[in-house]
Each structure stands twice: as C-alpha cells, then as structure tokens.
C-alpha cells in the first residue's frame, strides 16, 4: 500500500516540495529517505494544503489524489513504527534521527495541546455532511493528524529503547532542547486518547473510539504503556541521568507522576516499581544548580532546508500542483482506481498473510472459497454445503 502511494507522490517531485529524495539524501539508506519524505509531506500539509483549500477556483472532480498525499504521511509513520522496533533500523537512521526526534516532538506537542483544551478527535458521519468535498477532506485530515500523532508516540518510544547507542546530539535534543520527559508527563496527566462523554469513559484504541466498561477503566492501554515505557527509558538510563537537568521546574513536573503510580498500575507494568523508587529518591534530593557549560549541538537540516528553499513560494506551489497534479483526467482517475483496486484485492492481501487459510467448518487447511463473496474458505464442497445456511445472510450482504 505504501509503495502505491509513494509511486503517486513521486509524481509531485517536479511540482513542488515533494519528495525529499533527490534534494537531501542521494545514495543513502532507505530509512533517512523515508524520514525525509515524512517531513516533506508534513510541511506540504501545513503550508500548501491550506492554500489549496482557500483557492476559490479549485473545485476538483475528485479529491482522491489529494487524499493520497495526505495519507502518505500516515503510511510512512506506520511503516516506521513497524521497523523501528529493531535496533539496527534505528541505528541506520544516522543523522536523520535528529529530524525524526523533532518530528515526534511536534506531534506530541500537538497531542498535549489538544488534551489541555479538552478536545477529543472523533470523526462522525454527521461531521462529513458538508456540501464541499474540500471541507470533508479537511475534517478527514484533522482526524488523520490525531492518529499520526499517536503513531509518532510509538516511534519515539522505540527510539528511547536505544538511548545507549544513540548519538550524543540525539540525547541532548530529546532531554534538553525539547525536554521530552516533561512533555510525556503532560501526556500522562491529560491522556488525550481518553475522554468522558455523557458520563461514559471512551478510549481510542485500534483506530476507533469505544466506551470502556466500568471494570476496565483502570486497565492500561497500549498508548498508556508507550508513554510509561518512554519515561522509564529516559529517566532511568544512567546516560540520560547524566545529561538531563534535574532543576526545580523539571523536578516538580516529574514528581507529578507519583500520584499515577498506583498499585493497580504497577501490577500491570511491574517495571514501574523502579520508577517509583527513582521518584522517591528525587523528592528528597536538592534541585541541581543550573549548568553554565558551553554546549555544541548538532541540529537537524531537513525541515529548515525545505522551509528556506520554498519561503514565499507556497501559493505558487499550490497553484502549480492544482494545474499539473490535482486535476487529473477521467482516464487518469480510472487508471489510478484500477491500480488501487489491484493493491487492495483479496488475493494480494492473502498472499501477504503469514498463515494459510483454514476451513470454516473443520479447521483444516483450505484451498477453495465461496465464489460469490470470496470471504469464507472451505476444504471440500461438503463443508461449504454444510455451512451454507449460516453463511447465506452474510454472503448476500457482501455480494
């Protein structure tokens, strides 16, 4: 799926700031290339997309090409979330890890800002009842931004897993330039992936908001776990403790975590016992005096380079892309639709599945499936006939 989107976005290479491949990272490993494209699309969303929405004479027959570019950022961050679990991938990012840390910081700051305003991003069907397709696209982009920010939280947590092997400049940027420990405390305190609505607690998991029954309200979600694990990595690592400034403000912010470290939470993540001991020791120590050392810090380049190169050109880029990229002909739209249909075909998805399909009736390995809905698998026709009365309503619906 990412390759399909990437192929389309590559067409924008001659029409503006996308992509970063040729400008920044020639001959580099794929991870820096991905990070460069991630930031390129992010800047496009903030600088070019709002101009497109304001153009009065831009009324596209289909917003699908624009949606592909918007969704490209989500696809890349999904891919990075998957691969950054591995230490070798994190190390292969090289100097571009600084740009990725900055990207994650921007997304987490956005999450914290939304939580303090009491905003819970949930895209409802009635929200899309708008006569303007561009307005619909804006609302979809807003909901997508929330999910991207949650993915960035996971990526950051995987980066903190490798604090011992990260460049010194990366640690400095996380701990001192961006003060990520205090930002993570803000997320623990306000928890933007949960909200109360009509007296019921709702949490965001697996891409949707759902009501949490009373017996599960103290249960830690995966997102809660990501924040706590990142804090453990940043605060308990000896290298991070040497680099972080435990001054009066930082100390007061970190000690806010003590109220959340209940027995129920520690039972779910026993490593938090070490965090509890660390905070107890921090509470009785004097704040560290301010450091007056000279600090030489390596800075990321991709974000600043794109902004400086295209400063004052955003409207011109938007108009150029309207003319050459976002006004496809009927034939081009049909071609793109056919290619996406092939990408999302059941045969393609099943080829990527790690396990072979099983018979719906007896559970043995199956080689045949319902030719009408193509959703259920069977080992023999006898099993299919036996299951037909149960399968018939769903088959009719899907067909």
């Amino acid at each position: 799926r990412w390759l399909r989107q990437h192929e389309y976005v590559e067409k924008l290479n001659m029409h503006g700031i996308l992509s970063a491949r040729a400008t920044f990272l020639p001959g580099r490993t794929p991870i820096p290339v991905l990070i460069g494209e991630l930031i390129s699309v992010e800047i496009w969303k903030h600088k070019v997309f709002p101009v497109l929405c304001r153009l009065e004479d831009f009324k596209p027959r289909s917003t699908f090409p624009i949606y592909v570019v918007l969704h490209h950022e989500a696809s890349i961050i999904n891919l990075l979330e998957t691969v950054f679990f591995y230490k070798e991938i994190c190390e292969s990012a090289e100097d571009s890890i600084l740009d990725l840390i900055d990207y994650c910081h921007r997304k987490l700051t956005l999450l914290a800002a939304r939580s303090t305003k009491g905003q819970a991003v949930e895209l409802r069907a009635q929200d899309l009842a708008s006569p303007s397709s561009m307005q619909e696209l804006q609302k979809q982009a807003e909901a997508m931004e929330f999910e991207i920010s949650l993915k960035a939280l996971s990526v950051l947590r995987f980066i903190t897993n490798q604090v011992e092997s990260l460049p010194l400049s990366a640690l400095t940027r996380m701990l001192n330039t961006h003060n990520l420990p205090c930002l993570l405390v803000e997320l623990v305190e306000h928890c933007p992936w949960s909200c109360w609505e009509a007296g019921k607690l709702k949490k965001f998991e697996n891409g949707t908001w759902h009501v949490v029954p009373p017996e599960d309200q103290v249960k830690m979600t995966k997102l809660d776990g990501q924040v706590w694990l990142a804090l453990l990595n940043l605060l308990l690592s000896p290298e991070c403790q040497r680099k972080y400034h435990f001054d009066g403000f930082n100390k007061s912010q970190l000690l806010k975590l003590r109220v959340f470290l209940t027995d129920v939470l520690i039972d779910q993540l026993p490593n938090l016992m070490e965090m509890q001991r660390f905070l107890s020791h921090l509470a009785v120590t004097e704040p560290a005096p301010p450091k007056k050392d000279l600090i030489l810090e390596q800075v990321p380049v991709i974000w600043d380079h794109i902004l400086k190169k295209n400063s004052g050109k955003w409207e011109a880029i938007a108009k150029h892309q309207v003319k050459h990229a976002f006004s496809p002909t009927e034939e081009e739209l049909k071609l793109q639709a056919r290619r996406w249909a092939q990408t999302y075909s059941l045969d393609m998805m099943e080829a990527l599945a790690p396990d072979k399909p099983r018979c719906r009736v007896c559970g043995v390995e199956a080689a045949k499936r319902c030719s009408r809905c193509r959703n259920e698998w069977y080992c023999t026709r006898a099993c299919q006939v036996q299951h037909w009365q149960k399968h018939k309503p769903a088959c009719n619906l899907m067909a």
Side-chain angles (χ1 to χ4, degrees):
R1 182 178 65 183
W2 177 82
L3 289 174
R4 279 282 183 236
Q5 290 181 344
H6 171 77
E7 190 174 325
Y8 179 83
V9 174
E10 277 285 287
K11 291 175 63 179
L12 298 181
N13 197 16
M14 66 184 73
H15 308 309
I17 62 171
L18 301 175
S19 86
R21 179 188 300 274
T23 308
F24 304 106
L25 307 160
R28 300 287 289 279
T29 58
I31 296 302
V33 172
L34 285 175
I35 295 172
E37 289 208 7
L38 183 70
I39 295 171
S40 296
V41 180
E42 181 195 16
I43 293 177
W44 183 90
K45 284 173 60 177
H46 288 290
K47 297 293 186 179
V48 180
F49 180 57
V51 178
L52 288 176
C53 296
R54 292 196 302 266
L55 293 176
E56 295 181 359
D57 57 342
F58 181 47
K59 294 179 174 59
R61 288 181 300 169
S62 172
T63 57
F64 179 72
I66 303 177
Y67 179 80
V68 170
V69 183
L70 290 171
H71 200 273
H72 195 55
E73 182 184 6
S75 297
I76 297 175
I77 196 66
N78 268 311
L79 186 57
L80 291 179
E81 182 192 25
T82 302
V83 300
F84 259 71
F85 175 80
Y86 301 98
K87 180 180 179 181
E88 296 80 4
I89 298 294
C90 189
E91 292 174 347
S92 72
E94 301 173 347
D95 292 343
S96 64
I97 195 72
L98 297 173
D99 294 280
L100 186 57
I101 289 171
D102 273 25
Y103 173 87
C104 293
H105 174 259
R106 289 192 292 271
K107 298 301 180 182
L108 297 194
T109 302
L110 178 63
L111 271 182
R114 284 178 170 172
S115 65
T116 54
K117 294 177 182 177
Q119 296 177 352
V121 180
E122 182 174 5
L123 194 62
R124 302 178 179 88
Q126 60 266 31
D127 293 335
L128 295 179
S130 168
S132 168
S133 57
M134 292 300 293
Q135 287 177 349
E136 291 183 14
L137 203 60
Q138 284 177 286
K139 291 175 181 177
Q140 290 174 342
E142 182 182 356
M144 197 185 302
E145 187 71 22
F146 177 70
E147 295 191 45
I148 289 172
S149 300
L150 298 180
K151 297 294 183 182
L153 171 60
S154 298
V155 172
L156 180 69
R157 177 248 154 155
F158 290 136
I159 293 174
T160 63
N161 283 355
Q162 315 301 335
V163 289
E164 302 298 335
S165 58
L166 288 177
L168 179 61
S169 53
L171 285 180
T172 302
R173 199 145 193 89
M174 285 195 296
L175 296 172
N176 299 323
T177 306
H178 295 317
N179 200 352
L180 285 179
C182 285
L183 180 55
L184 292 171
V185 171
E186 189 82 8
L187 294 178
V188 171
E189 196 172 10
H190 296 286
C191 197
W193 43 87
S194 68
C195 66
W196 287 90
E197 188 175 292
K200 295 181 179 180
L201 178 64
K202 300 181 73 175
K203 291 190 177 183
F204 190 86
E205 285 187 286
N206 300 321
T208 58
W209 288 92
H210 63 91
V211 177
V212 181
E215 63 271 17
D216 290 338
Q217 289 183 1
V218 295
K219 185 178 179 180
M220 179 186 292
T221 65
K222 290 181 181 179
L223 292 167
D224 295 320
Q226 298 286 31
V227 178
W228 282 109
L229 289 171
L231 280 167
L232 280 167
N233 292 333
L234 290 176
L235 295 178
L236 301 187
S237 163
E239 185 66 23
C240 291
Q241 289 182 3
R242 286 193 295 270
K243 300 296 180 185
Y244 191 57
H245 300 323
F246 290 97
D247 55 26
F249 173 78
N250 290 344
K251 176 182 174 180
S252 65
Q253 291 298 109
L254 294 176
L255 289 179
K256 291 179 180 179
L257 295 173
R258 298 178 76 182
V259 70
F260 298 99
L261 291 172
T262 62
D263 293 339
V264 175
L265 187 69
I266 294 174
D267 283 343
Q268 296 176 74
L269 189 59
N271 288 354
L272 290 178
M273 184 71 74
E274 298 178 38
M275 172 74 77
Q276 196 174 49
R277 286 196 290 265
F278 168 78
L279 293 175
S280 298
H281 178 264
L282 181 65
V284 298
T285 57
E286 291 295 323
K291 295 184 178 181
K292 299 181 180 180
D293 299 337
L294 176 64
I295 298 177
L296 297 178
E297 182 181 355
Q298 183 181 357
V299 296
V301 298
I302 298 178
W303 174 275
D304 289 339
H305 186 91
I306 295 177
L307 290 182
K308 289 177 182 177
K309 182 181 177 182
N310 298 282
S311 178
K313 303 177 183 177
W314 307 116
E315 187 169 351
I317 290 173
K319 291 180 179 179
H320 192 71
Q321 290 182 350
V322 164
K323 184 178 179 180
H324 293 89
F326 296 135
S327 299
T329 64
E330 192 72 27
E331 285 302 315
E332 288 174 332
L333 281 174
K334 288 181 179 178
L335 175 62
Q336 191 65 27
R338 282 196 298 269
R339 298 174 72 185
W340 274 73
Q342 292 170 4
T343 302
Y344 282 95
S345 69
L346 289 174
D347 292 333
M348 176 71 72
M349 297 301 175
E350 284 153 8
L352 298 174
D355 301 320
K356 293 185 178 180
R358 298 281 175 177
C359 177
R360 183 68 173 83
V361 178
C362 60
V364 303
E365 192 173 303
K368 305 175 185 295
R369 65 178 169 185
C370 177
S371 60
R372 190 159 175 256
C373 71
R374 302 184 65 79
N375 192 51
E376 294 287 8
W377 287 84
Y378 305 98
C379 60
T380 62
R381 177 164 178 77
C383 283
Q384 184 178 12
V385 172
Q386 180 183 340
H387 188 244
W388 173 243
Q389 290 303 320
K390 292 182 180 179
H391 174 54
K392 184 178 178 180
C395 187
N396 290 337
L397 182 63
M398 294 190 70

